Amino acid sequence: MAEADELRMNVAISCRILGMLGLVSGTTGHVSARIPGTDEMWIRCRGGAELGLMFTGVHNVRRVNFDGDGPGMDDKHAKPNETAIHGEIYRAHPEVQAVVHAHPKYALRCGITDIPYKPYFGAYDPSALDIVMKGVPIFERSVTVTNKDLASDMLKAMGSRDVLLMRGHGITVSGGTVEAATQLAIRFDELSQVMWDITTSGRQGIEIAEQDRNAYGARMGGNRADRPRTGWAALEGVEKWGWNHYIKLLEVNRIGLPDDAG
């Protein structure tokens, strides 16, 4: 499969995974990937044989510029109303290669009730602790981000972070690959579920010791690609394990992979 075709397919697969896990529902939410060496992206659009994100076809993923226009669009598909979320992130952050905008229920609940994200666990999921320790920025406007001005305000709230909680709306995350951004979105909502469950349990959560926070902080910091790989982390293909797990779940749940092009 050509690199461009694989990138397009991964955007479609990401939409199916997010739909399967409930981070998006119906036709809401969208995923995109920067096309390397261009000012264009693959983005999940609406229309065509529309079945919702959980059943995204390759045809739903169109090649457009950062404003959502270009020859990749046709009279059967329409760009997302919030295309500016993707385009403006790519313009502001050349290192970002993929963007996910979703409406997960637990992140929504935490946002509208102002539940703080606290370091209640470490070894359970060090990557989720990393989100907590870096802080969860919040975009206070509960509006559809339909233009560059709103996207600019959103970017100011997001700052240098790769996650953003959008109060009364959803989440936006970015990453170096479609796979990474997708799994970050999933982890962010799983973290939100833990925060919600603890708060609504009526019990007081116990934060982990500063010594343990610092230990994981040192482990998670820096460039992941530069870290020494030992044990299971040294095995071939380890970076695809998480992604492959979700692809297998698509099969088990009889959703499957996209098989159409156009």
Side-chain angles (χ1 to χ4, degrees), residues 45-59:
C45 296
R46 292 184 180 182
E50 181 61 70
L51 298 172
L53 265 74
M54 188 160 63
F55 303 103
T56 294
V58 176
H59 73 89

Side-chain angles (χ1 to χ4, degrees), residues 14-72:
S14 171
C15 292
R16 288 193 171 211
I17 291 170
L18 296 172
M20 173 182 67
L21 298 178
L23 274 73
V24 295
S25 62
T27 60
T28 63
H30 21 84
V31 178
S32 70
R34 182 196 297 269
I35 299 174
T38 74
D39 291 329
E40 296 179 321
M41 58 183 169
W42 290 112
I43 189 167
R44 206 292 184 181
C45 296
R46 292 184 180 182
E50 181 61 70
L51 298 172
L53 265 74
M54 188 160 63
F55 303 103
T56 294
V58 176
H59 73 89
N60 295 119
V61 182
R62 315 303 298 184
R63 182 170 184 158
V64 299
N65 62 27
F66 293 160
D67 293 321
D69 303 317

Side-chain angles (χ1 to χ4, degrees), residues 14 18 32 98-100 173-186:
S14 171
L18 296 172
S32 70
V99 175
V100 171
V173 307
S174 63
T177 64
V178 174
E179 297 95 315
T182 303
Q183 291 173 86
L184 179 58
I186 294 167

Side-chain angles (χ1 to χ4, degrees), residues 70-220:
M73 293 302 295
D74 58 20
D75 59 3
K76 296 180 181 179
H77 296 85
K79 65 185 178 182
N81 291 337
E82 294 182 308
T83 296
I85 289 177
H86 303 261
E88 295 311 297
I89 287 178
Y90 291 134
R91 286 187 170 112
H93 297 283
E95 75 282 3
V96 169
Q97 302 300 313
V99 175
V100 171
H101 174 69
H103 298 162
K105 292 182 175 61
Y106 283 102
L108 172 71
R109 292 169 185 170
C110 287
I112 62 181
T113 55
D114 206 25
I115 290 176
Y117 289 77
K118 294 186 176 182
Y120 290 136
F121 58 82
Y124 173 76
D125 187 347
S127 294
L129 173 63
D130 190 50
I131 296 174
V132 174
M133 298 307 295
K134 289 178 178 176
V136 177
I138 299 176
F139 181 48
E140 298 288 353
R141 302 278 313 272
S142 182
V143 294
T144 305
V145 183
T146 55
N147 57 55
K148 292 181 179 181
D149 289 339
L150 285 169
S152 176
D153 292 340
M154 185 201 78
L155 280 165
K156 289 175 184 175
M158 195 170 188
S160 61
R161 291 291 283 113
D162 51 5
V163 301
L164 178 69
L165 179 60
M166 306 171 79
R167 200 185 301 282
H169 185 170
I171 65 173
T172 293
V173 307
S174 63
T177 64
V178 174
E179 297 95 315
T182 303
Q183 291 173 86
L184 179 58
I186 294 167
R187 180 163 281 112
F188 189 11
D189 196 51
E190 289 175 343
L191 169 65
S192 298
Q193 182 174 359
V194 173
M195 297 299 117
W196 173 262
D197 288 346
I198 290 172
T199 302
T200 58
S201 72
R203 304 294 296 270
Q204 182 66 43
I206 301 172
E207 297 185 22
I208 63 174
E210 184 175 358
Q211 177 184 6
D212 296 334
R213 298 183 215 177
N214 292 339
Y216 280 111
R219 173 179 160 186
M220 299 304 297

